[in-house]
Amino acid sequence: MKTAEIRRRFLDFFVRNDHTEVPSASLMHHDPTLLFVNAGMVPFKPYFIGAEDAPYARATSVQKCVRTLDIEEVGKTTRHGTFFQMNGNFSFGDYFKEEAIAYAWEFSTGAVEDGNLGFDPERIWVTVLDGDEEAEAYWKSVGMPADRIQHRGLADNYWNMGVPGPGGPCSEIYFDRGPEYGPDGGPEADEDRFLEFWNLVFMQEELATVRSKTDFDVARPLPRPNIDTGMGLERVAYLMQGKQNMYEIDQVFPVISRAAELSGREYGADATSDVRLRVVADHVRSGMMLINDGVTPGNEGRGYVLRRLLRRAVRAMRLLGVTDPVLPELFPLSRDVMADSYTEIAEQWQRISDVAYAEEDAFRRTLEAGTQIFDVAVSDAKKSQASVLPGAQAFQLHDTYGFPIDLTMEMAAEHGLKVDRDEFSRLMTEQRERAKADAKAKKGGATNVEAYRELRHGGESTFIGYTELETDARVLGIVDAGSSVPAASAGSVVEIVLDTTPFYAESGGQDADRGTITAPGLELKIVDVQSPVQGLIVHRVEVVSGEVTVDQQVHARVDADHRAGACRAHSATHIVHAVLRETVGPTAVQSGSYNKPGYLRFDFQSTHGLDADQRAEIEGRSNEAITADHEVTSQTLPLNEAREMGAMAMFGEKYPDMVRMVEMNGPWSRELCGGTHVRHSSQIGLLTLLNEQSIGSGVRRVEAFVSTDAFRHLAAERALVSNLSGMLKVQPDQLTERVGKLVADLKDAEKQLAAHRSKEILGNAAGLVESAQDRGGVAVVAQHVAGVGGGDLRQLAQEIRGRLGDRPGVVALVGGTDEKPAVVVATTTGARERGLRAGALVKDACAALGGRGGGKDDLAQGGGSDSTGIDKALASVEAAVDAA
């Protein structure tokens, strides 16, 4: 049974049992505690913790997940994979243990022809929490014999989020794979033979504190117990398909097969090669799914994870002997097997492939740079007659250049060296601990929403800002430093919640409104407006005068000019998006935006920058759309209907079932958007592009001024042109030609000056050669040549070395400036035969200057910051010659 069919059967089963089918959330789900969605319940977390009201009593989903904590273990076991899919069914205060167990049993063991999986009931085992007699009784009621129900402790069979919130016992379902996989005795005896494939969580308690997985305090029973289950789709697939592990299922193995073919290896013949092939297959699929959800390679956060996955895949293929580009061979295979479940992959394929292939090209260049660093490390080790490469250097190669430890170890072995794996592991552990501490800090910070939740339980904030800019309102609550307070007086900065508000909360890239909240004797200045909990609009205010109290009647007024400016900028952002898709193509998908009165920036996915003609075309088309006076309309409609109409949506953005769609010139610009807009495009006035640049691998950014800010910018440029024309005494249309001639003349003058300087410097070479000292048969020129730096210093050192002829010689020159002294060391063949290496000599010289240096045996250079050490630097070279 194919993986896609298992997925469909699961969803259909629960839909037949009155569950709402919920599409998978993006892997970039908006949860401040997570880098990626790592469990099926994550999109439903706000409902479980009470931050939002669930829109349905029952739900089912197949959620895309990524876990990267054990990335180094991928391919080594059947349990570690970065991307996986979690089937789940959920109840929000509806059914509980009895029904959850009955559903799981029926779907697992029911007949295949009835839409179930058809597992042999005799091979099913379950575990329950010690003391959960209720769950045990329900299992017995569906036919599970008592001798295949095992009781386990909190560590195995109790679930919580690691922070205060809901928790409860769980019941895990296992499949007996047979005696060839391990000893008998159920999950307690062996979890390789008895493989867990479904976990039923019974959320029934609210935890007050959580010190560890097994140490926590229960505050009270939940008023409405919930169900959260997770069935590993890949695990079920390899059980149903008779495979050994998740890498051999139909959605993964085609990549292994092709990678084996490219490398000339046979899968299953060699354990080391098999691990590498599994790494390739896992990371190709994971990378493709991350790019599909809008992640682009980068040096931090989500982008770094994607970059690491793609580069590990390429590195694994190199270790298998394949040095040609591999992702164009492997990505299409993963696309073809995943498209049955995720049709958007085919729709986004051009963008996905562009990002992946560009990253491989970039890594191939980086690999060359890293190899050079590796070669220097090997050379240093051999000079010191060491047999072990320091772990710190291996870690630098891993952390800076993306070299995995196995690649470094293999390359070191080719030079007869080992790697200090213990030191490398220690540094890796320290890095992981820092990451865990950071994640824990973020998790703890994300729980401080209790005051907002309490206010939200009193009802939603009604937003009327689409049509009204001021209104009378009542103060529902005041929050100060995370706690509800009854009042706030002049001079304080607090958060205010109103029953009705015209103020737009920052979202969708649009800056928050500004304005005032007033009452007799009271003035509050709006500092910011946010929506920390769905349905609740929170106004951060400075109490200018008076005292504000809960239940007070006030008058809220939006700054009309600020709002109008925000509307113009936001509508201009939609225009730029539409024009970019026309100019660059449909792969120019939005990656982010920000707009405020007079200014916008728009990030889009593209592996190529915009040339001058494209920038001019984008600016021109945008202004044509503005002057065309397109009507800007909005409507509220079901999410699926909006998507069918082609409405653009942000990757990773969470949308409700009913959405607001903003249109400009009909389908030309059709986006899901909750922001405020002009009524006609002509109200924007004018747009001028400021610049276009890369902000990360595969992501570009354009910035623009809008309306009067655009006019002021153009007026300033006009004044600049006028001033330059006056200075150069030419007409504006002749300015480019005149400046070009000046630049050409300047370059010619610089060349002549450089030639003169070079001649002068080289003219000093003869005198410096005459200053050479004979130190044990080696001619040494060690001099301070003030003011000579860069290429001139290097050229002078080479000239002197050439004039020394065939005799052993060392040239050490210190030049540069007092602030940044520079060093160049050059050696002749005769000197090198005596063991005098320029790279080693320059390191000692630079150390005396408080800096570093390096290079080859015949020529090396470096610098420092302490010019008082110049004499010491030159003396160090002379001493080294004396000791040779």
Side-chain angles (χ1 to χ4, degrees):
M1 187 181 294
K2 289 190 173 183
T3 307
E5 183 180 349
I6 298 169
R7 176 182 185 273
R8 188 69 259 162
R9 281 173 175 252
F10 182 89
L11 293 171
D12 289 346
F13 174 86
F14 283 100
V15 168
R16 288 197 302 272
N17 286 282
D18 302 321
H19 290 64
T20 298
E21 181 180 332
V22 179
S24 173
S26 167
L27 288 164
M28 295 196 295
H29 189 65
H30 292 303
D31 185 320
T33 70
L34 298 173
L35 200 61
F36 299 110
V37 171
N38 62 358
M41 62 78 66
V42 168
F44 304 101
K45 180 178 171 182
Y47 311 145
F48 288 132
I49 66 175
E52 300 177 20
D53 294 330
Y56 23 66
R58 304 178 173 201
T60 184
S61 71
V62 178
Q63 176 61 46
K64 298 174 288 188
C65 303
V66 164
R67 291 180 185 170
T68 58
L69 289 178
D70 298 319
I71 193 171
E72 302 291 349
E73 301 302 315
V74 168
K76 299 177 182 178
T77 74
T78 64
R79 298 177 181 274
H80 296 95
T82 47
F83 174 84
F84 59 96
Q85 300 159 88
M86 191 61 72
N87 297 356
N89 59 286
F90 308 90
S91 167
F92 308 102
D94 188 10
Y95 63 84
F96 200 47
K97 291 183 184 180
E98 182 177 11
E99 295 89 340
I101 289 171
Y103 287 143
W105 180 257
E106 180 183 353
F107 183 66
S108 298
T109 64
V112 172
E113 55 268 27
D114 292 334
N116 304 304
L117 296 183
F119 280 139
D120 181 356
E122 299 298 319
R123 300 179 70 174
I124 301 294
W125 289 66
V126 299
T127 62
V128 297
L129 181 67
D130 284 334
D132 192 352
E133 297 177 358
E134 186 179 27
E136 180 180 18
Y138 290 137
W139 277 116
K140 290 178 179 178
S141 71
V142 298
M144 177 65 68
D147 61 356
R148 282 194 273 121
I149 303 174
Q150 295 186 330
H151 291 253
R152 307 183 82 169
L154 293 171
D156 295 299
N157 278 72
Y158 193 94
W159 177 90
N160 65 66
M161 296 189 299
V163 294
C170 56
S171 181
E172 297 174 328
I173 310 174
Y174 294 78
F175 182 81
D176 182 0
R177 303 170 73 191
E180 63 270 29
Y181 290 95
D184 200 358
E188 282 280 278
D190 190 292
E191 289 201 11
D192 283 325
R193 171 175 172 174
F194 299 90
L195 186 74
E196 178 199 348
F197 67 90
W198 204 340
N199 185 21
L200 315 180
V201 177
F202 312 128
M203 291 188 196
Q204 60 189 45
E205 297 164 333
E206 183 174 341
L207 309 185
T209 55
V210 179
R211 291 172 289 274
S212 71
K213 185 172 175 59
T214 59
D215 183 14
F216 49 82
D217 297 328
V218 177
R220 62 186 69 85
L222 286 175
R224 300 176 67 199
N226 304 311
I227 288 293
D228 159 28
T229 86
M231 170 193 272
L233 179 55
E234 281 77 11
R235 288 196 179 185
V236 174
Y238 74 77
L239 290 175
M240 298 290 292
Q241 295 172 16
K243 303 299 182 182
Q244 298 294 313
N245 54 60
M246 64 176 287
Y247 304 102
E248 298 173 14
I249 65 174
D250 62 301
Q251 286 190 344
V252 182
F253 191 74
V255 175
I256 289 181
S257 180
R258 179 59 177 150
E261 181 182 349
L262 290 171
S263 63
R265 310 298 175 98
E266 180 183 351
Y267 182 71
D270 175 71
T272 300
S273 295
D274 287 353
V275 169
R276 290 170 181 165
L277 289 168
R278 291 194 286 264
V279 166
V280 171
D282 172 88
H283 289 4
V284 162
R285 184 169 76 144
S286 302
M288 181 183 71
M289 298 306 294
L290 287 171
I291 299 172
N292 180 60
D293 275 3
V295 184
T296 55
N299 291 326
E300 59 184 26
R302 293 163 171 161
Y304 177 73
V305 171
L306 173 59
R307 170 161 287 169
R308 189 178 180 202
L309 290 171
L310 295 179
R311 294 188 172 192
R312 276 176 58 88
V314 174
R315 291 193 306 257
M317 290 299 290
R318 289 179 72 91
L319 289 172
L320 290 166
V322 183
T323 57
D324 292 333
V326 294
L327 296 189
E329 293 281 349
L330 303 177
F331 256 58
L333 294 171
S334 192
R335 170 200 63 195
D336 293 345
V337 293
M338 295 301 293
D340 284 347
S341 298
Y342 303 98
T343 56
E344 65 271 21
I345 295 175
E347 298 168 1
Q348 297 290 333
W349 180 246
Q350 187 62 54
R351 178 183 57 82
I352 292 170
S353 58
D354 282 350
V355 170
Y357 303 163
E359 180 62 19
E360 180 174 17
D361 290 342
F363 178 53
R364 286 165 62 82
R365 294 190 295 271
T366 299
L367 198 59
E368 293 177 5
T371 301
Q372 293 175 6
I373 300 298
F374 172 83
D375 290 343
V376 171
V378 169
S379 176
D380 290 344
K382 288 184 175 180
K383 284 178 187 176
S384 61
Q385 297 184 334
S387 61
V388 178
L389 201 66
Q393 289 179 320
F395 179 76
Q396 179 193 12
L397 285 166
H398 166 86
D399 199 46
T400 305
Y401 295 97
F403 277 43
I405 185 62
D406 50 1
L407 176 62
T408 303
M409 291 174 68
E410 185 166 314
M411 292 171 66
E414 293 173 357
H415 293 273
L417 298 172
K418 295 182 179 180
V419 175
D420 187 342
R421 187 64 187 266
D422 291 340
E423 183 184 12
F424 174 85
S425 298
R426 177 181 61 79
L427 293 169
M428 284 295 296
T429 300
E430 290 177 1
Q431 186 185 63
R432 289 194 185 103
E433 291 303 321
R434 288 193 297 269
K436 288 180 181 178
D438 183 58
K440 185 175 182 180
K442 289 180 180 178
K443 179 184 288 188
T447 61
N448 190 23
V449 296
E450 187 61 34
Y452 305 133
R453 286 169 52 188
E454 291 297 326
L455 288 169
R456 175 64 181 80
H457 289 157
E460 290 191 357
S461 304
T462 302
F463 176 65
I464 62 170
Y466 292 133
T467 57
E468 304 294 334
L469 293 183
E470 58 181 295
T471 186
D472 292 328
R474 182 170 64 90
V475 177
L476 295 180
I478 304 172
V479 178
D480 186 5
S483 300
S484 292
V485 295
S489 56
S492 58
V493 177
V494 295
E495 294 172 313
I496 303 289
V497 177
L498 305 176
D499 61 345
T500 303
T501 180
F503 289 101
Y504 180 80
E506 180 182 1
S507 64
Q510 181 177 332
D511 206 6
D513 276 335
R514 298 292 182 264
T516 59
I517 299 175
T518 59
L522 173 70
E523 181 182 354
L524 309 177
K525 178 184 176 182
I526 298 293
V527 177
D528 192 15
V529 189
Q530 298 289 331
S531 181
V533 174
Q534 187 181 45
L536 201 69
I537 297 176
V538 177
H539 311 76
R540 186 167 182 80
V541 302
E542 176 188 347
V543 184
V544 178
S545 61
E547 181 182 61
V548 59
T549 60
V550 174
D551 286 330
Q552 185 174 5
Q553 293 294 320
V554 295
H555 187 77
R557 180 185 305 223
V558 174
D559 182 325
D561 290 339
H562 186 278
R563 166 67 74 81
C567 290
R568 288 191 286 266
H570 200 157
S571 295
T573 305
H574 284 220
I575 286 177
V576 169
H577 189 190
V579 170
L580 274 168
R581 289 175 61 79
E582 285 183 334
T583 307
V584 178
T587 59
V589 178
Q590 181 178 358
S591 295
S593 67
Y594 174 71
N595 52 81
K596 63 180 182 178
Y599 168 85
L600 71 86
R601 69 168 184 250
F602 186 84
D603 302 338
F604 63 100
Q605 298 192 8
S606 176
T607 55
H608 306 288
L610 302 175
D611 58 33
D613 289 341
Q614 285 177 310
R615 291 195 296 271
E617 183 179 5
I618 290 167
E619 186 176 78
R621 287 195 183 188
S622 296
N623 281 298
E624 287 173 4
I626 290 171
T627 57
D629 198 31
H630 296 311
E631 185 179 10
V632 182
T633 62
S634 65
Q635 59 176 304
T636 301
L637 70 168
L639 175 60
N640 290 338
E641 185 177 332
R643 291 189 184 277
E644 289 173 1
M645 294 175 66
M648 300 296 298
M650 268 286 292
F651 275 119
E653 190 75 28
K654 180 182 178 183
Y655 294 100
D657 291 335
M658 297 298 292
V659 294
R660 182 172 181 259
M661 183 175 73
V662 175
E663 291 182 307
M664 194 177 301
N665 192 24
W668 181 74
S669 173
R670 185 174 281 163
E671 298 193 29
L672 301 184
C673 179
T676 63
H677 290 272
V678 297
R679 296 183 182 275
H680 291 269
S681 63
S682 62
Q683 293 174 312
I684 298 170
L686 180 66
L687 179 145
T688 181
L689 286 184
L690 300 177
N691 57 59
E692 184 269 344
Q693 61 185 322
S694 170
I695 59 168
S697 179
V699 181
R700 311 290 302 183
R701 170 174 291 173
V702 293
E703 295 179 279
F705 280 143
V706 176
S707 189
T708 53
D709 288 78
F711 175 79
R712 282 192 288 267
H713 175 73
L714 292 175
E717 287 195 337
R718 183 177 63 183
L720 177 63
V721 169
S722 178
N723 289 337
L724 287 174
S725 298
M727 290 171 59
L728 299 175
K729 296 180 172 54
V730 295
Q731 293 300 312
D733 60 353
Q734 299 172 327
L735 192 59
T736 301
E737 180 181 355
R738 179 65 173 137
V739 170
K741 186 176 184 306
L742 285 174
V743 170
D745 291 344
L746 180 61
K747 286 182 178 179
D748 287 341
E750 288 176 341
K751 287 180 181 178
Q752 294 175 19
L753 182 62
H756 178 73
R757 185 174 64 246
S758 178
K759 183 177 180 180
E760 182 182 1
I761 289 172
L762 294 180
N764 294 329
L768 290 171
V769 169
E770 292 178 1
S771 71
Q773 304 176 48
D774 187 292
R775 307 184 77 96
V778 178
V780 178
V781 177
Q783 295 288 337
H784 177 207
V785 284
V788 181
D792 292 335
L793 190 66
R794 186 183 180 98
Q795 185 180 9
L796 180 59
Q798 289 174 302
E799 177 70 16
I800 295 171
R801 179 180 62 184
R803 293 187 180 222
L804 289 176
D806 295 333
R807 52 182 168 160
V810 173
V811 181
L813 304 179
V814 178
T817 64
D818 288 344
E819 293 78 18
K820 290 186 177 181
V823 183
V824 172
V825 176
T827 59
T828 65
T829 302
R832 293 193 293 277
E833 289 174 350
R834 297 194 178 197
L836 294 168
R837 314 290 182 186
L841 295 172
V842 84
K843 284 184 179 179
D844 292 338
C846 289
L849 300 173
R852 295 184 300 176
K856 297 181 179 179
D857 292 345
D858 63 330
L859 186 67
Q861 63 188 44
S865 58
D866 182 9
S867 60
T868 62
I870 290 177
D871 291 341
K872 184 178 179 182
L874 295 172
S876 72
V877 175
E878 294 171 343
V881 173
D882 293 340

